[in-house]
Amino acid sequence: MRFETRAIHEGQKPDPVTGSVITPVYQTSTFEQDAIGVHRGYEYSRTGNPTRAALEEAVASLEGGEYGLAFASGQAATTAVLSLLKTGDHVVAGDDLYGGTWRLFERVFKKWGLETSYADVDDANAFEKAIRPNTKLIWVESPTNPLLKIVDIENLSTVASKNQLLLVVDNTFASPYFQRPLELGADIVVHSTTKYLGGHSDIIGGALVTSRKRVHEVLKYYQNAAGSVPGPWDSWLVLRGVKTLAIRMREHEKNATFLAEFLEVHPKVSKVYYPGLPSSEYHLLARKQMSGFSGMISIELAGGLPGVERFVSRLEVFTLAESLGGVESLVCHPARMTHSSIGERERRRRGISDNLVRLSVGIENKEDLREDLERALGEV
Ligand SMILES: *Cc1c(COP(=O)(O)O)cnc(C)c1O
């Protein structure tokens, strides 16, 4: 079956007990056992819950993977992956990363003795050069946050398998509709389901998908042992979002392409970061490994911080808020919002200037979005 059909049906058969067409919210902490140690597949909702299981099966299918696991947040999913490692291990991570992922590496796991170095995602050899005898894992996002760089996943998977490392790809920005890292050779896919998979800005959640049985077993053990699982209600909301992922992603992309073309020639905009633009240095690679360019655009405004402040305050349809991937358009200032935790010097080094503004393009009417940007740019 094809993507759109799997999004609606995979893991979501009518309820075997009542025939309910929609997977019920199994709002229960525990399950009756027929005799001591004899149960019907579920014992306790931290270990497993049918609503969560439906979500896990659906997301695994969309990523083209064997096994899915749902978590209470994207960060909980990331923490689960890092639990595969031990003190003294080393990670090579791409140098353009979600600020919270960087914070986990540097402020949480470093003191447990996990070392991380950061490779320039624009340099094909940087990852290989950063590998040490104790390296266990490569971690990248593509497209990256917030500069929307594209990383060659197939290339990295060759480096990873040659050196017997796990390749982990955070696929949050592309969603499985536009990119399936496992098919490009990645070992584990990470999602913040808070974003496009949920799609409606109403829950916090995360997911992991892998086709490696042993890796899945360790992650599943961790999921139950550490317990950062989503509740049935949140799982249900993500599952509901997933059903419309394909049509939402097509609209996000259509609107983003339209706005990126408008912004590219606007005199108040000094740079547009969008891999869908033919002028983007990442365009050809994006075409190769993705089937579309998603709905995230970053721009640099002429006019410095005061210009940025005027711009965001004049927007009416775009809402100033962190997060992305919902049906509504959002605007954020990475330097002082999503990426403030990485510090000014490190931000400068990575090219996250105070002029940078990130847009999560929603699925409103594209002319309303263009008019909103045009009006606000007039004030920059
Ligand atoms: C939001 C986000 C995360 C973190 O997910 P939460 O659900 O907020 O914990 C991780 N990676 C990327 C790329 C994100 O955008």
Side-chain angles (χ1 to χ4, degrees):
M1 277 192 297
R2 293 165 183 81
F3 191 93
E4 291 84 346
T5 316
R6 282 185 280 126
I8 292 165
H9 295 291
E10 200 72 52
Q12 303 163 74
K13 303 273 177 298
D15 182 50
V17 178
T18 62
S20 167
V21 168
I22 296 302
T23 305
V25 183
Y26 285 92
Q27 192 74 45
T28 183
S29 60
T30 191
F31 298 83
E32 182 192 29
Q33 306 203 359
D34 298 324
I36 295 172
V38 181
H39 57 77
R40 290 162 242 168
Y42 295 95
E43 300 152 84
Y44 186 62
S45 278
R46 167 159 42 72
T47 315
N49 174 284
T51 314
R52 189 176 98 214
L55 171 64
E56 293 176 333
E57 201 178 317
V59 174
S61 167
L62 296 185
E63 283 290 354
E66 291 291 322
Y67 312 103
L69 291 170
F71 290 86
S73 67
Q75 292 308 91
T78 298
T79 304
V81 173
L82 298 180
S83 80
L84 295 168
L85 307 177
K86 60 182 188 321
T87 300
D89 284 349
H90 174 246
V91 174
V92 180
D95 67 351
D96 195 28
L97 272 188
Y98 175 66
T101 305
W102 183 88
R103 185 170 56 196
L104 262 184
F105 283 133
E106 291 303 310
R107 304 272 186 258
V108 179
F109 286 98
K110 197 175 204 158
K111 55 179 202 252
W112 293 5
L114 183 72
E115 290 178 277
T116 306
S117 38
Y118 300 90
D120 180 355
V121 295
D122 291 326
D123 176 358
N125 300 317
F127 285 86
E128 191 139 35
K129 274 192 257 167
I131 293 171
R132 304 176 190 167
N134 58 338
T135 305
K136 294 288 159 59
L137 189 148
I138 296 178
W139 185 290
V140 288
E141 294 171 11
S142 187
T144 64
N145 180 10
L147 295 176
L148 304 167
K149 297 179 178 186
I150 306 293
V151 185
D152 192 331
I153 297 171
E154 210 161 10
N155 224 6
L156 273 187
S157 86
T158 311
V159 173
S161 57
K162 208 168 77 188
N163 293 279
Q164 294 178 319
L165 312 176
L166 289 173
L167 174 61
V168 183
V169 177
D170 182 335
N171 200 29
T172 299
F173 270 40
S175 92
Y177 183 66
F178 285 132
Q179 174 173 274
R180 286 174 298 282
L182 298 180
E183 292 171 3
L184 299 165
D187 299 292
I188 303 173
V189 169
V190 180
H191 274 286
S192 167
T193 57
T194 312
K195 317 295 169 52
Y196 285 114
L197 287 175
H200 296 74
S201 305
D202 49 12
I203 56 95
I204 297 286
L208 298 177
V209 181
T210 183
S211 291
R212 298 200 177 278
K213 190 163 189 283
R214 182 68 195 132
V215 168
H216 169 70
E217 283 167 2
V218 179
L219 292 171
K220 189 169 171 56
Y221 182 88
Y222 172 87
Q223 181 196 41
N224 179 49
S228 49
V229 292
W233 180 231
D234 281 3
S235 299
W236 189 89
L237 283 169
V238 178
L239 200 52
R240 179 188 174 123
V242 161
K243 289 175 196 282
T244 55
L245 182 66
I247 55 168
R248 283 189 287 110
M249 293 314 294
R250 290 198 283 263
E251 288 300 303
H252 282 297
E253 186 196 33
K254 208 170 70 188
N255 283 355
T257 302
F258 175 76
L259 295 181
E261 285 167 359
F262 159 75
L263 291 164
E264 194 178 25
V265 294
H266 197 287
K268 298 282 181 66
V269 178
S270 46
K271 185 153 173 60
V272 178
Y273 300 88
Y274 185 63
L277 287 174
S279 60
S280 160
E281 62 190 292
Y282 302 105
H283 186 64
L284 289 180
L285 179 55
R287 285 195 92 95
K288 193 182 89 174
Q289 72 182 18
M290 303 170 75
S291 56
F293 309 106
S294 213
M296 299 300 297
I297 303 175
S298 288
I299 54 177
E300 264 162 34
L301 295 181
L305 198 52
V308 167
E309 278 170 350
R310 283 195 298 275
F311 174 71
V312 299
S313 70
R314 294 302 192 282
L315 287 167
E316 286 168 15
V317 184
F318 281 83
T319 303
L320 179 64
E322 295 193 4
S323 201
L324 61 112
V327 291
E328 67 291 307
S329 293
L330 300 179
V331 59
C332 119
H333 186 237
R336 290 203 297 187
M337 294 169 71
T338 50
H339 289 67
S340 60
S341 64
I342 68 178
E344 187 175 349
R345 237 184 75 209
E346 183 62 17
R347 280 201 304 273
R348 280 249 156 86
R349 200 186 64 71
R350 296 188 193 180
I352 304 171
S353 76
D354 284 349
N355 294 337
L356 189 75
V357 172
R358 193 186 76 183
L359 303 172
S360 173
V361 179
I363 63 170
E364 300 96 335
N365 185 286
K366 65 182 183 187
E367 296 294 347
D368 289 330
L369 297 178
R370 183 186 56 78
E371 284 166 22
D372 197 35
L373 292 176
E374 191 160 34
R375 187 169 47 236
L377 283 168
E379 310 281 333
V380 168

